[in-house]
Amino acid sequence: MSTTGETTKRPGKAPAGERVADWADGRLGVYTLAKANMRKIFPDHWSFMLGEVCLYSFIIIILTGVYLTLFFHPSMAEVTYHGAYVPMQGVHMSEAYASTLDISFDVRGGLLMRQIHHWAALVFLVGMFVHMMRVFFTGAFRKPREINWLFGFLLLVLGMFTGFTGYSLPDDLLSGTGLRFMEGAILSIPVVGTYIAMFLFGGEFPGTEIIPRFFVIHVLLLPGIMLGLVVAHLILVFYHKHTQFAGPGRTEKNVVGMPLLPVYMGKAGGFFFLVFGIISVIAATVTINPIWVLGPYRPDQVSTNAQPDWYMGFSEGLIRAMPGWEIVLPGGYTLALGVLIPLMIFPLVLAAIAVYPFVEAWVTGDKREHHILDRPRNAPTRTAFGAAWIALYFVCLVGGGNDLWATHFHLSINAITWFVRIGFFVVPVLTFIVTKRICLGLQRRDREKVLHGRESGIIKRLPHGEFIEVHEPLSQEQLHTLTAHEQYKPLEIGPEVDENGVTRKVGPVQKLRARLSRGYYGEGNQIPKPTPEEYKELTSGHGH
């Protein structure tokens, strides 16, 4: 005991955990980094979980993929099968196919891992598609998140090609048919198509190099790029802070929600195991890609009922619906337009959704940062464009499975093909018009709710005999939600002459921008919000 009355601690060693933490903090600055980021606020909304589904599915893909690579042999060397699957015994096949059969029937848990891997890939791509549509329809791609939107788009495209290379690895009849399809598409490219095909396959189709090369692409190249994009995507989400829907107390400069640690991390951990569990249940109960049914790939056979995974059905639908046009150029060169034109349309349709954020920013001239999300109804033109794009995608998806539509619904395959050909041009336009009218109708309903309140279902008779329905006024929170959105004014070119009477030069680009701006925000393209004066005038009346 000291003379000042304070107790003194005996010198001793700190706990092991504290010493490890101090050691790490002194070299990595872990404490400072954690203190700055672990209490970061994230908003709470069910739609934000779509991105988490993508992330967790990607983690599951990596974990199961590592397990599968331990037993898979990426070789096209021919062997004779003598494994556990009796119907295939004595059949000549590639090592890749034989090792996939071994994984399915001889490796403990191998078939379950294969199915979890495949289903997780499908869930990842579905999640990416829906997540990007959520970002699109709510305007979450606006400044400063345009780069993050491109990262997400690249993840979707790379995921599609990673999936394609993945289901090509077993070298079964279905995947071989898909490879043959891809080779035909490459050969249709003028001048360089044959060179690209020879380089990719290492000789004439099918060659002996395609499976080893796809293996390297599938397990190393594309996942490495995707992992880097995922990390960059998450870093930008942290840096820009998360978007949030309009509500009381929410502004462009704050985030209302829960801290990352411990609340959000606890939820995220539980949600990861929920996603993993659901994918595992699906994989354990629903068979996917049973390669033992169709057998090994043979160039002289084509499997019936051959369908790619849904995300590649769009490209196949374009080719199935395209007429088999050909042009023979002088010198005997043939242009296979039936394959070349769909091959050109495919990246254009994907690129349209990638560049849209920059197009909208150019049309509006808006250079401000946006952290408050739009309700889709309050951006009717954007919502209509997104719905039209989805409609186009699904029309082509119908074309990619035209044989299944024909057999399951007893339809003419020619009728389905013509539906896809006509629907490619008509359905997106009709979808655009209908979606825009629905959005405007919803805006009108919101306007009526703000001005007159919610219909209560209570009928009241006035002294002079008139029957009216009593409307209940909305809460301040509801009023804020329905009126928080911005309404842009269309850009104007201005007078044709300046103040000195000199004719102003207006370029075609300016005219196009003004015309598009009127199409977005001109008369008839958005319903004016109620003004405070209108609201006060109505609410100060007789109260119904």
Short mmCIF file of all heavy atoms in Angstrom, two decimals, residues 438-478:
data_model
loop_
_atom_site.label_atom_id
_atom_site.label_comp_id
_atom_site.label_asym_id
_atom_site.label_seq_id
_atom_site.Cartn_x
_atom_site.Cartn_y
_atom_site.Cartn_z
N ILE A 438 -47.88 1.65 -65.62
CA ILE A 438 -48.10 1.16 -64.25
C ILE A 438 -47.41 2.09 -63.24
O ILE A 438 -47.98 2.45 -62.21
CB ILE A 438 -47.59 -0.28 -64.11
CG1 ILE A 438 -48.48 -1.24 -64.91
CG2 ILE A 438 -47.54 -0.70 -62.64
CD1 ILE A 438 -47.97 -2.66 -64.94
N CYS A 439 -46.16 2.48 -63.54
CA CYS A 439 -45.44 3.39 -62.64
C CYS A 439 -46.16 4.73 -62.49
O CYS A 439 -46.27 5.26 -61.37
CB CYS A 439 -44.02 3.61 -63.15
SG CYS A 439 -42.94 2.17 -63.01
N LEU A 440 -46.64 5.27 -63.59
CA LEU A 440 -47.36 6.54 -63.53
C LEU A 440 -48.66 6.39 -62.75
O LEU A 440 -49.05 7.29 -61.99
CB LEU A 440 -47.63 7.05 -64.94
CG LEU A 440 -46.40 7.48 -65.75
CD1 LEU A 440 -46.78 7.84 -67.18
CD2 LEU A 440 -45.70 8.66 -65.09
N GLY A 441 -49.33 5.26 -62.92
CA GLY A 441 -50.54 5.00 -62.14
C GLY A 441 -50.26 4.92 -60.66
O GLY A 441 -51.03 5.44 -59.83
N LEU A 442 -49.16 4.28 -60.29
CA LEU A 442 -48.78 4.20 -58.88
C LEU A 442 -48.40 5.58 -58.34
O LEU A 442 -48.69 5.90 -57.17
CB LEU A 442 -47.61 3.23 -58.71
CG LEU A 442 -47.94 1.75 -58.97
CD1 LEU A 442 -46.67 0.92 -58.93
CD2 LEU A 442 -48.94 1.24 -57.94
N GLN A 443 -47.77 6.41 -59.16
CA GLN A 443 -47.47 7.78 -58.73
C GLN A 443 -48.75 8.56 -58.47
O GLN A 443 -48.85 9.32 -57.50
CB GLN A 443 -46.63 8.49 -59.79
CG GLN A 443 -45.17 8.10 -59.82
CD GLN A 443 -44.35 9.01 -60.72
OE1 GLN A 443 -44.61 10.21 -60.81
NE2 GLN A 443 -43.37 8.44 -61.40
N ARG A 444 -49.74 8.39 -59.33
CA ARG A 444 -51.02 9.08 -59.13
C ARG A 444 -51.68 8.62 -57.84
O ARG A 444 -52.26 9.43 -57.09
CB ARG A 444 -51.96 8.82 -60.31
CG ARG A 444 -51.53 9.48 -61.61
CD ARG A 444 -52.61 9.36 -62.67
NE ARG A 444 -52.16 9.92 -63.94
CZ ARG A 444 -51.60 9.22 -64.92
NH1 ARG A 444 -51.44 7.89 -64.77
NH2 ARG A 444 -51.20 9.79 -66.03
N ARG A 445 -51.61 7.31 -57.58
CA ARG A 445 -52.20 6.81 -56.34
C ARG A 445 -51.47 7.38 -55.12
O ARG A 445 -52.12 7.75 -54.12
CB ARG A 445 -52.13 5.28 -56.31
CG ARG A 445 -52.93 4.67 -55.16
CD ARG A 445 -52.76 3.17 -55.08
NE ARG A 445 -51.43 2.82 -54.61
CZ ARG A 445 -51.07 1.58 -54.29
NH1 ARG A 445 -51.92 0.58 -54.41
NH2 ARG A 445 -49.83 1.32 -53.88
N ASP A 446 -50.14 7.47 -55.17
CA ASP A 446 -49.40 8.06 -54.06
C ASP A 446 -49.78 9.52 -53.86
O ASP A 446 -49.91 9.99 -52.72
CB ASP A 446 -47.89 7.96 -54.33
CG ASP A 446 -47.37 6.54 -54.19
OD1 ASP A 446 -48.10 5.69 -53.65
OD2 ASP A 446 -46.23 6.29 -54.64
N ARG A 447 -49.98 10.23 -54.96
CA ARG A 447 -50.39 11.64 -54.86
C ARG A 447 -51.74 11.76 -54.17
O ARG A 447 -51.94 12.61 -53.30
CB ARG A 447 -50.43 12.25 -56.26
CG ARG A 447 -50.92 13.69 -56.29
CD ARG A 447 -50.98 14.24 -57.71
NE ARG A 447 -51.67 15.52 -57.76
CZ ARG A 447 -51.08 16.69 -57.55
NH1 ARG A 447 -49.79 16.75 -57.29
NH2 ARG A 447 -51.78 17.81 -57.60
N GLU A 448 -52.68 10.89 -54.54
CA GLU A 448 -54.00 10.93 -53.92
C GLU A 448 -53.92 10.57 -52.43
O GLU A 448 -54.62 11.17 -51.61
CB GLU A 448 -54.94 9.96 -54.64
CG GLU A 448 -55.30 10.38 -56.06
CD GLU A 448 -56.03 11.71 -56.09
OE1 GLU A 448 -56.96 11.90 -55.26
OE2 GLU A 448 -55.68 12.58 -56.92
N LYS A 449 -53.07 9.61 -52.09
CA LYS A 449 -52.94 9.23 -50.69
C LYS A 449 -52.36 10.36 -49.85
O LYS A 449 -52.77 10.58 -48.71
CB LYS A 449 -52.04 7.99 -50.57
CG LYS A 449 -52.72 6.71 -51.03
CD LYS A 449 -51.76 5.54 -50.99
CE LYS A 449 -51.37 5.16 -49.59
NZ LYS A 449 -50.54 3.94 -49.56
N VAL A 450 -51.40 11.10 -50.43
CA VAL A 450 -50.82 12.23 -49.69
C VAL A 450 -51.87 13.32 -49.47
O VAL A 450 -51.98 13.89 -48.37
CB VAL A 450 -49.60 12.80 -50.46
CG1 VAL A 450 -49.15 14.11 -49.85
CG2 VAL A 450 -48.46 11.79 -50.44
N LEU A 451 -52.64 13.62 -50.51
CA LEU A 451 -53.59 14.73 -50.42
C LEU A 451 -54.86 14.37 -49.65
O LEU A 451 -55.40 15.20 -48.92
CB LEU A 451 -53.97 15.20 -51.83
CG LEU A 451 -52.84 15.86 -52.63
CD1 LEU A 451 -53.32 16.20 -54.04
CD2 LEU A 451 -52.34 17.12 -51.93
N HIS A 452 -55.33 13.13 -49.80
CA HIS A 452 -56.64 12.78 -49.24
C HIS A 452 -56.56 11.75 -48.13
O HIS A 452 -57.56 11.47 -47.47
CB HIS A 452 -57.56 12.25 -50.35
CG HIS A 452 -57.78 13.22 -51.45
ND1 HIS A 452 -58.60 14.34 -51.31
CD2 HIS A 452 -57.30 13.27 -52.72
CE1 HIS A 452 -58.60 15.02 -52.44
NE2 HIS A 452 -57.82 14.41 -53.31
N GLY A 453 -55.37 11.13 -47.91
CA GLY A 453 -55.25 10.14 -46.87
C GLY A 453 -55.59 8.74 -47.35
O GLY A 453 -55.90 8.51 -48.52
N ARG A 454 -55.56 7.82 -46.41
CA ARG A 454 -55.82 6.42 -46.73
C ARG A 454 -57.30 6.11 -46.62
O ARG A 454 -57.98 6.58 -45.71
CB ARG A 454 -55.03 5.52 -45.76
CG ARG A 454 -55.12 4.04 -46.06
CD ARG A 454 -54.34 3.26 -45.03
NE ARG A 454 -54.92 3.38 -43.70
CZ ARG A 454 -55.93 2.61 -43.24
NH1 ARG A 454 -56.45 1.68 -44.02
NH2 ARG A 454 -56.37 2.78 -42.02
N GLU A 455 -57.80 5.33 -47.56
CA GLU A 455 -59.22 4.93 -47.52
C GLU A 455 -59.44 4.01 -46.33
O GLU A 455 -58.80 2.97 -46.20
CB GLU A 455 -59.60 4.22 -48.82
CG GLU A 455 -59.53 5.11 -50.05
CD GLU A 455 -59.86 4.36 -51.32
OE1 GLU A 455 -60.06 3.13 -51.24
OE2 GLU A 455 -59.92 4.98 -52.39
N SER A 456 -60.36 4.39 -45.46
CA SER A 456 -60.59 3.63 -44.22
C SER A 456 -61.65 2.56 -44.37
O SER A 456 -61.74 1.65 -43.53
CB SER A 456 -60.99 4.60 -43.10
OG SER A 456 -62.23 5.22 -43.42
N GLY A 457 -62.48 2.65 -45.41
CA GLY A 457 -63.59 1.71 -45.57
C GLY A 457 -64.82 2.11 -44.75
O GLY A 457 -65.83 1.39 -44.77
N ILE A 458 -64.76 3.23 -44.04
CA ILE A 458 -65.89 3.70 -43.23
C ILE A 458 -66.72 4.68 -44.06
O ILE A 458 -66.20 5.66 -44.58
CB ILE A 458 -65.40 4.39 -41.95
CG1 ILE A 458 -64.57 3.40 -41.11
CG2 ILE A 458 -66.57 4.95 -41.14
CD1 ILE A 458 -63.92 4.04 -39.90
N ILE A 459 -68.01 4.39 -44.20
CA ILE A 459 -68.92 5.24 -44.96
C ILE A 459 -69.66 6.16 -43.99
O ILE A 459 -70.20 5.73 -42.98
CB ILE A 459 -69.93 4.41 -45.77
CG1 ILE A 459 -69.18 3.42 -46.68
CG2 ILE A 459 -70.82 5.32 -46.60
CD1 ILE A 459 -68.28 4.07 -47.68
N LYS A 460 -69.68 7.45 -44.35
CA LYS A 460 -70.31 8.46 -43.48
C LYS A 460 -71.35 9.23 -44.29
O LYS A 460 -71.12 9.54 -45.46
CB LYS A 460 -69.23 9.41 -42.95
CG LYS A 460 -69.75 10.51 -42.04
CD LYS A 460 -68.60 11.39 -41.56
CE LYS A 460 -69.09 12.51 -40.67
NZ LYS A 460 -67.98 13.37 -40.22
N ARG A 461 -72.45 9.49 -43.67
CA ARG A 461 -73.51 10.26 -44.34
C ARG A 461 -73.50 11.69 -43.82
O ARG A 461 -73.55 11.94 -42.61
CB ARG A 461 -74.88 9.65 -44.08
CG ARG A 461 -76.01 10.34 -44.86
CD ARG A 461 -77.33 9.66 -44.63
NE ARG A 461 -78.37 10.29 -45.42
CZ ARG A 461 -79.66 9.92 -45.43
NH1 ARG A 461 -80.04 8.89 -44.66
NH2 ARG A 461 -80.54 10.54 -46.19
N LEU A 462 -73.41 12.65 -44.74
CA LEU A 462 -73.38 14.06 -44.39
C LEU A 462 -74.80 14.56 -44.11
O LEU A 462 -75.79 13.93 -44.53
CB LEU A 462 -72.73 14.86 -45.51
CG LEU A 462 -71.27 14.48 -45.83
CD1 LEU A 462 -70.74 15.34 -46.97
CD2 LEU A 462 -70.38 14.62 -44.60
N PRO A 463 -74.94 15.72 -43.44
CA PRO A 463 -76.28 16.24 -43.09
C PRO A 463 -77.18 16.44 -44.31
O PRO A 463 -78.41 16.28 -44.20
CB PRO A 463 -75.96 17.58 -42.41
CG PRO A 463 -74.60 17.37 -41.83
CD PRO A 463 -73.88 16.51 -42.80
N HIS A 464 -76.63 16.76 -45.45
CA HIS A 464 -77.48 16.99 -46.62
C HIS A 464 -77.76 15.71 -47.39
O HIS A 464 -78.34 15.74 -48.48
CB HIS A 464 -76.84 18.04 -47.54
CG HIS A 464 -75.48 17.64 -48.06
ND1 HIS A 464 -74.32 17.87 -47.33
CD2 HIS A 464 -75.10 17.03 -49.21
CE1 HIS A 464 -73.29 17.42 -48.03
NE2 HIS A 464 -73.73 16.90 -49.17
N GLY A 465 -77.32 14.53 -46.84
CA GLY A 465 -77.68 13.26 -47.45
C GLY A 465 -76.59 12.60 -48.27
O GLY A 465 -76.75 11.44 -48.68
N GLU A 466 -75.49 13.28 -48.51
CA GLU A 466 -74.42 12.69 -49.32
C GLU A 466 -73.65 11.66 -48.52
O GLU A 466 -73.34 11.86 -47.34
CB GLU A 466 -73.48 13.78 -49.81
CG GLU A 466 -72.31 13.25 -50.64
CD GLU A 466 -71.31 14.33 -50.99
OE1 GLU A 466 -71.52 15.50 -50.57
OE2 GLU A 466 -70.30 14.01 -51.65
N PHE A 467 -73.33 10.50 -49.19
CA PHE A 467 -72.51 9.48 -48.56
C PHE A 467 -71.06 9.64 -49.03
O PHE A 467 -70.81 9.79 -50.23
CB PHE A 467 -73.00 8.07 -48.93
CG PHE A 467 -74.30 7.71 -48.27
CD1 PHE A 467 -75.51 7.96 -48.89
CD2 PHE A 467 -74.30 7.11 -47.01
CE1 PHE A 467 -76.70 7.63 -48.27
CE2 PHE A 467 -75.49 6.78 -46.40
CZ PHE A 467 -76.70 7.04 -47.02
N ILE A 468 -70.14 9.62 -48.07
CA ILE A 468 -68.73 9.74 -48.40
C ILE A 468 -67.95 8.67 -47.64
O ILE A 468 -68.44 8.12 -46.64
CB ILE A 468 -68.15 11.12 -48.05
CG1 ILE A 468 -68.25 11.35 -46.54
CG2 ILE A 468 -68.84 12.23 -48.85
CD1 ILE A 468 -67.48 12.56 -46.06
N GLU A 469 -66.77 8.35 -48.14
CA GLU A 469 -65.88 7.44 -47.41
C GLU A 469 -64.88 8.27 -46.62
O GLU A 469 -64.27 9.20 -47.16
CB GLU A 469 -65.13 6.51 -48.37
CG GLU A 469 -64.22 5.53 -47.64
CD GLU A 469 -63.48 4.60 -48.59
OE1 GLU A 469 -63.50 4.87 -49.80
OE2 GLU A 469 -62.87 3.63 -48.11
N VAL A 470 -64.72 7.94 -45.36
CA VAL A 470 -63.81 8.68 -44.49
C VAL A 470 -62.37 8.27 -44.81
O VAL A 470 -62.06 7.07 -44.91
CB VAL A 470 -64.12 8.40 -43.01
CG1 VAL A 470 -63.12 9.12 -42.11
CG2 VAL A 470 -65.54 8.81 -42.68
N HIS A 471 -61.54 9.25 -45.01
CA HIS A 471 -60.12 9.00 -45.28
C HIS A 471 -59.31 9.35 -44.03
O HIS A 471 -59.51 10.41 -43.42
CB HIS A 471 -59.62 9.86 -46.46
CG HIS A 471 -60.11 9.38 -47.78
ND1 HIS A 471 -61.43 9.45 -48.15
CD2 HIS A 471 -59.45 8.83 -48.83
CE1 HIS A 471 -61.58 8.96 -49.37
NE2 HIS A 471 -60.39 8.58 -49.80
N GLU A 472 -58.40 8.44 -43.67
CA GLU A 472 -57.54 8.66 -42.51
C GLU A 472 -56.25 9.33 -42.97
O GLU A 472 -55.63 8.89 -43.94
CB GLU A 472 -57.21 7.33 -41.83
CG GLU A 472 -58.42 6.62 -41.27
CD GLU A 472 -58.05 5.29 -40.65
OE1 GLU A 472 -56.86 4.90 -40.79
OE2 GLU A 472 -58.92 4.64 -40.05
N PRO A 473 -55.85 10.40 -42.31
CA PRO A 473 -54.59 11.07 -42.72
C PRO A 473 -53.39 10.16 -42.49
O PRO A 473 -53.37 9.33 -41.57
CB PRO A 473 -54.55 12.30 -41.80
CG PRO A 473 -55.41 11.95 -40.63
CD PRO A 473 -56.49 11.05 -41.16
N LEU A 474 -52.40 10.29 -43.34
CA LEU A 474 -51.18 9.49 -43.22
C LEU A 474 -50.29 10.04 -42.12
O LEU A 474 -50.35 11.22 -41.77
CB LEU A 474 -50.41 9.51 -44.55
CG LEU A 474 -51.15 8.98 -45.79
CD1 LEU A 474 -50.22 9.05 -47.00
CD2 LEU A 474 -51.61 7.55 -45.59
N SER A 475 -49.46 9.17 -41.58
CA SER A 475 -48.49 9.60 -40.58
C SER A 475 -47.40 10.42 -41.26
O SER A 475 -47.24 10.39 -42.48
CB SER A 475 -47.88 8.39 -39.88
OG SER A 475 -47.11 7.62 -40.82
N GLN A 476 -46.65 11.15 -40.45
CA GLN A 476 -45.56 11.95 -41.00
C GLN A 476 -44.51 11.08 -41.68
O GLN A 476 -43.91 11.48 -42.68
CB GLN A 476 -44.91 12.78 -39.87
CG GLN A 476 -45.80 13.89 -39.35
CD GLN A 476 -46.14 14.91 -40.44
OE1 GLN A 476 -45.27 15.34 -41.21
NE2 GLN A 476 -47.42 15.28 -40.51
N GLU A 477 -44.29 9.87 -41.15
CA GLU A 477 -43.32 8.96 -41.76
C GLU A 477 -43.79 8.54 -43.15
O GLU A 477 -43.01 8.51 -44.11
CB GLU A 477 -43.12 7.73 -40.88
CG GLU A 477 -42.13 6.73 -41.45
CD GLU A 477 -41.91 5.55 -40.54
OE1 GLU A 477 -42.43 5.57 -39.40
OE2 GLU A 477 -41.21 4.60 -40.96
N GLN A 478 -45.08 8.21 -43.28
CA GLN A 478 -45.62 7.83 -44.59
C GLN A 478 -45.59 8.99 -45.56
O GLN A 478 -45.27 8.81 -46.75
CB GLN A 478 -47.04 7.30 -44.42
CG GLN A 478 -47.13 5.98 -43.67
CD GLN A 478 -48.57 5.59 -43.36
OE1 GLN A 478 -49.38 6.42 -42.95
NE2 GLN A 478 -48.89 4.31 -43.55
#
